[in-house]
Amino acid sequence: MSVQERKQRERSERERLIVATARELAEQQGWDAVTTRRLAERIEYSQPVLYSHFRGKREIIGAVALEGAAEMAATVRAATSTADGPRERVAALARAYLDFAARNSAVYDAIFQLDGGLAFAQEDTPEPLKDAFAALLESLGEVAGDGVHPGLFTETFWAALHGLATLTRAGRLPPEDIEPRVELLVDRLAVV
């Protein structure tokens, strides 16, 4: 291995450590607790080392969002791959999405609530974000109904899931009613 390859590997490892530490700190104490000073202390590198990877917290949030979007896509695909039939796939998708949002609140916020400097629904949207949407579209497109654009239906269904996730997490909706909400959403919106 050349010196350059070793340095690149070490740089990649430091970057993964920064992102993992930011996620951990955000999940434990919220995003307000994630500062470059705290991250530098936790990973035992200087702040200039952090700035050599990320220009600031916004880019760190963006990196967490991209990693989280890839995880969410994999979670949704895994849940829908074992479901039998369109209705079951849509219900599995909804449950997996809501469960992901509840279990990974800081990551979910990084993807959908915070400014990570990422473009959504544009030509320059990063691939992990496009793939997360594609993971939803794969199951929802087939139940959009006649004359309904699959992408538009997916956006609408996703918006409903996002609303359920954020309102439940904020204590505005009782968490024990998640399953009836999923059933209602699937039965009323999806043409199966």
Side-chain angles (χ1 to χ4, degrees):
M1 173 182 297
S2 72
V3 171
Q4 185 175 349
E5 289 172 329
R6 181 183 52 78
K7 285 184 178 187
Q8 183 57 41
R9 186 189 74 225
E10 290 171 355
R11 180 174 175 73
S12 295
E13 288 171 3
R14 269 194 316 271
E15 192 165 301
R16 281 191 296 275
L17 178 61
I18 294 166
V19 172
T21 304
R23 282 181 70 157
E24 180 183 312
L25 188 56
E27 290 292 350
Q28 291 171 353
Q29 299 176 29
W31 277 104
D32 287 341
V34 179
T35 64
T36 53
R37 183 183 55 77
R38 277 185 129 171
L39 287 173
E41 288 171 2
R42 284 204 175 194
I43 65 171
E44 299 177 344
Y45 284 100
S46 68
Q47 283 182 296
V49 170
L50 257 72
Y51 286 116
S52 74
H53 291 274
F54 301 99
R55 286 183 291 211
K57 183 176 177 176
R58 181 179 188 215
E59 284 189 4
I60 294 169
I61 290 169
V64 170
L66 294 177
E67 189 175 270
E71 291 170 12
M72 187 176 74
T75 298
V76 166
R77 285 187 175 111
T80 59
S81 70
T82 59
D84 227 6
R87 187 195 187 290
E88 291 75 19
R89 272 191 294 284
V90 173
L93 177 149
R95 287 183 196 101
Y97 183 97
L98 294 171
D99 184 58
F100 180 88
R103 284 184 300 104
N104 303 282
S105 58
V107 172
Y108 191 82
D109 285 348
I111 301 169
F112 298 115
Q113 304 287 95
L114 301 174
D115 179 10
L118 304 173
F120 282 79
Q122 298 174 20
E123 284 297 314
D124 60 341
T125 298
E127 281 307 312
L129 298 178
K130 289 179 181 178
D131 189 51
F133 185 78
L136 300 176
L137 182 62
E138 289 162 12
S139 293
L140 294 171
E142 70 180 318
V143 297
D146 292 336
V148 177
H149 187 278
L152 184 62
F153 178 76
T154 300
E155 290 171 348
T156 303
F157 199 93
W158 168 36
L161 288 175
H162 177 70
L164 290 175
T166 55
L167 290 170
T168 301
R169 207 170 102 212
R172 305 295 197 270
L173 296 174
E176 63 272 7
D177 291 334
I178 287 176
E179 189 56 33
R181 286 189 200 101
V182 166
E183 293 297 320
L184 182 63
L185 190 60
V186 172
D187 289 342
R188 300 296 180 176
L189 283 184
V191 178
V192 287

